Amino acid sequence: MFDLIVIVRVPDPENVPVVGDALARMRVLCLGEDGCVSWEAYHSQEDPGRFVLVERWASREHWEAHDAGEAIQDIYVPVIMPRIEREVHPSAPVQVR
């Protein structure tokens, strides 16, 4: 399993609705991709310019192949990327010892 957390900051408040709409459109496309186990976008209620993406892929290879897909090429790169700052964090669940 390959888990990814992406923290998205939208500096210009006028772009928040555009980014939120684009993320909502991406969800269905991502979930339809080979190896996508789950894909969720959250909008902060405390900081309207912040979104958090929580993605789970069957493998890192599936996530890397996702870069060539419609969600990334038709929505994320042209619509979202010019409007945001982001942090990408490959992550792992905390394990109880």
Side-chain angles (χ1 to χ4, degrees):
M1 209 57 69
F2 181 76
D3 296 327
L4 187 72
I5 307 295
V6 181
I7 301 168
V8 173
R9 183 176 158 327
V10 184
D12 183 346
E14 290 184 12
N15 285 324
V16 169
V18 174
V19 170
D21 178 66
L23 289 171
R25 290 185 289 127
M26 282 184 66
R27 184 172 190 274
V28 172
L29 297 172
C30 292
L31 289 171
E33 291 183 34
D34 185 40
C36 183
V37 176
S38 65
W39 193 97
E40 298 292 338
Y42 295 89
H43 188 194
S44 172
Q45 299 300 293
E46 296 294 322
D47 180 356
R50 187 158 325 267
F51 294 86
V52 176
L53 311 181
V54 180
E55 304 178 34
R56 176 164 272 187
W57 296 88
S59 69
R60 185 179 189 108
E61 291 76 22
H62 285 98
W63 172 70
E64 289 172 353
H66 160 69
D67 277 349
E70 185 180 352
I72 296 296
Q73 295 303 313
D74 294 349
I75 300 173
Y76 196 73
V77 170
V79 178
I80 296 174
M81 284 295 291
R83 294 173 169 88
I84 67 167
E85 299 166 356
R86 70 185 182 146
E87 297 176 30
V88 178
H89 300 276
S91 301
V94 175
Q95 300 295 319
V96 178
R97 297 179 196 206

